[in-house]
């Protein structure tokens, strides 16, 4: 795999930037799309909701509930991710599937993205996005049909980091699962496979620091000229092709998704590259952790390394032949029965 270095490595998920061409987008015909990228189960209801995090930012979410549960108190899940996606994409699909299996589930847009509040737009924060998960737990615990002693969380892709980080501190979370996990602070600080040199790291910080002058003068953040390629040439790394196949095609495109469109701001990586988010991951124990990754995913090593450092009880599940984005939406690949059993056993 081609190693992305300097600013591109620090920009996380702007990996396609090195291969993008300044050509007309092939997603023009999709830009008015308001759709969900999956079909709502006829066994599930979905309701738009809002709630605030402790920074006062209003978050937008969809609450998925199984039908015909009566007055039963339900175990509940909060789900978000991938990094740069919206609730109408993967997190909503997961919520739909888990609600079908009997859980009350909220899929939410993180602060500064999607339909959630926060200004300026299209930025992320190690602290605030971790808080977003705890705010979702707040919301779930206030629902009359939810047992607040039975709440877990699922983080997809980059939001696996925030899910784990939230679980470390928020002892109300009884179990946590991740799929296609990215350790965002690690990859921003050190590059893929920790290959970033000190010289490259310094140069990246210098570039982003100078960008702050430009943003301050303009009164608004600047974006890269490209994010994922608008058209594939065929010589891109496989993982770029995989991202393109999800975010830039009708399979997963959504007009509010950063990864489907212009991406994150140029300075978005500053705080992540200067943070170590999972320093206290051992403190998730004795609560259980499930890490799921694809056998052929370029990100698999991150789940493996998290597993090595974490304390018991923990489990690492590798899905044969799967790549990173297969765990975004392929319901025949994502082990939903495993997730069901994991939370059913541990949320009690």
């Amino acid at each position: 795999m081609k190693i992305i270095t300097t600013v591109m490595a620090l920009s996380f998920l702007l990996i396609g930037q090195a291969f993008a061409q300044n050509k007309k987008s092939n997603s023009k015909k999709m830009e008015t799309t308001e759709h969900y990228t999956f079909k709502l189960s006829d066994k599930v209801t979905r309701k738009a909701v809002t709630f605030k995090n402790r920074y006062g930012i209003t978050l937008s979410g969809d609450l998925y509930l199984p039908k015909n549960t009566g007055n039963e108190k339900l175990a509940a899940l909060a789900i978000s991710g991938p990094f740069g996606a919206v609730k109408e994409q993967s997190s909503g699909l997961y919520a739909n599937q888990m609600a079908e299996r009997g859980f009350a589930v909220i899929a939410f847009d993180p602060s500064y993205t999607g339909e959630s509040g926060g200004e300026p737009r299209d930025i992320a924060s190690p602290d605030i996005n971790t808080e977003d998960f705890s705010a979702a737990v707040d919301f779930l615990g206030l629902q009359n049909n939810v047992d607040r002693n039975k709440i877990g969380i699922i983080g997809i892709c980059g939001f696996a980091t925030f899910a784990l980080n939230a679980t470390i501190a928020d002892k109300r979370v009884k179990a946590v699962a991740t799929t296609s996990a990215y350790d965002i602070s690690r990859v921003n600080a050190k590059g893929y496979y920790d290959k970033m040199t000190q010289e490259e790291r310094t140069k990246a910080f210098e570039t982003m620091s100078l960008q702050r002058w430009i943003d301050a003068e303009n009164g608004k953040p600047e974006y890269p000229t490209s994010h994922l390629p608008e058209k594939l040439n065929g010589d891109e790394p496989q993982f770029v092709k995989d991202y393109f196949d999800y975010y830039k095609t009708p399979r997963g495109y959504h007009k509010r998704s950063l990864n489907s469109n212009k991406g994150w701001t140029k300075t978005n990586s500053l705080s992540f590259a200067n943070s170590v988010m999972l320093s206290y991951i051992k403190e998730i124990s004795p609560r259980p952790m499930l890490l799921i990754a694809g056998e052929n995913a370029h990100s698999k090593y991150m789940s493996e390394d998290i597993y090595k450092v974490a304390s018991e009880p923990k489990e690492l599940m590798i899905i044969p032949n799967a790549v990173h984005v297969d765990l975004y939406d392929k319901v025949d690949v994502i082990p939903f029965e495993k997730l069901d059993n994991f939370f059913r056993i541990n949320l009690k």
Side-chain angles (χ1 to χ4, degrees), residues 136-323:
V137 173
D138 294 343
F139 172 84
L140 288 171
L142 296 179
Q143 305 309 302
N144 292 332
N145 59 344
V146 166
D147 185 338
R148 63 170 55 177
N149 294 311
K150 298 180 179 180
I151 299 177
I153 57 181
I154 298 175
I156 307 166
C157 183
F159 266 78
T161 315
F162 302 113
L164 295 170
N165 214 41
T167 305
I168 291 168
D170 194 335
K171 303 306 182 184
R172 300 172 300 173
V173 180
K174 303 304 181 184
V176 59
T178 69
T179 59
S180 290
Y182 258 92
D183 185 340
I184 289 192
S185 54
R186 176 183 177 183
V187 78
N188 276 269
K190 301 179 180 180
Y192 284 104
Y193 295 94
D194 301 338
K195 295 293 187 179
M196 181 181 291
T197 67
Q198 185 60 52
E199 181 182 5
E200 290 168 339
R201 177 176 164 84
T202 300
K203 178 61 177 177
F205 273 118
E206 288 174 348
T207 300
M208 288 188 287
S209 297
L210 292 174
Q211 182 63 43
R212 293 187 63 125
W213 287 123
I214 299 171
D215 292 352
E217 289 171 351
N218 293 335
K220 60 182 180 180
E222 194 170 277
Y223 292 80
T225 56
S226 55
H227 180 49
L228 286 172
E230 297 296 347
K231 183 178 181 180
L232 293 177
N233 294 323
D235 58 350
E236 297 85 1
Q238 185 59 47
F239 69 106
V240 173
K241 296 177 182 177
D242 293 338
Y243 281 130
F244 181 95
D245 186 54
Y246 181 76
Y247 287 111
K248 289 291 191 177
T249 71
R251 170 186 170 191
Y253 177 87
H254 199 281
K255 75 172 190 177
R256 286 191 293 271
S257 168
L258 276 70
N259 292 338
S260 289
N261 297 285
K262 61 185 177 181
W264 302 92
T265 65
K266 285 186 175 180
T267 60
N268 187 59
S269 295
L270 274 168
S271 55
F272 291 104
N274 202 33
S275 304
V276 182
M277 293 179 63
L278 301 180
S279 298
Y280 298 99
I281 195 165
K282 291 181 182 294
E283 294 180 14
I284 290 178
S285 178
R287 294 163 296 162
M289 175 194 311
L290 171 63
L291 307 168
I292 302 171
E295 179 186 23
N296 298 326
H298 67 287
S299 58
K300 182 180 72 167
Y301 76 97
M302 297 186 204
S303 291
E304 292 173 333
D305 288 354
I306 291 169
Y307 177 79
K308 291 174 186 175
V309 175
S311 297
E312 297 285 354
K314 59 184 179 180
E315 183 176 357
L316 175 63
M317 183 178 188
I318 302 299
I319 308 301
N321 303 315
V323 299

Side-chain angles (χ1 to χ4, degrees), residues 84-101:
V86 290
K87 64 186 181 300
E88 291 84 2
Q89 296 173 309
S90 298
S91 60
L93 180 147
Y94 273 67
N96 183 58
Q97 289 284 330
M98 297 307 289
E100 193 176 57
R101 289 164 171 78

Side-chain angles (χ1 to χ4, degrees), residues 107-129:
F108 64 90
D109 288 337
S111 295
Y112 308 109
T113 64
E115 292 185 313
S116 288
E119 293 288 342
R121 305 302 294 166
D122 308 332
I123 60 172
S125 162
D127 186 19
I128 294 175
N129 292 140

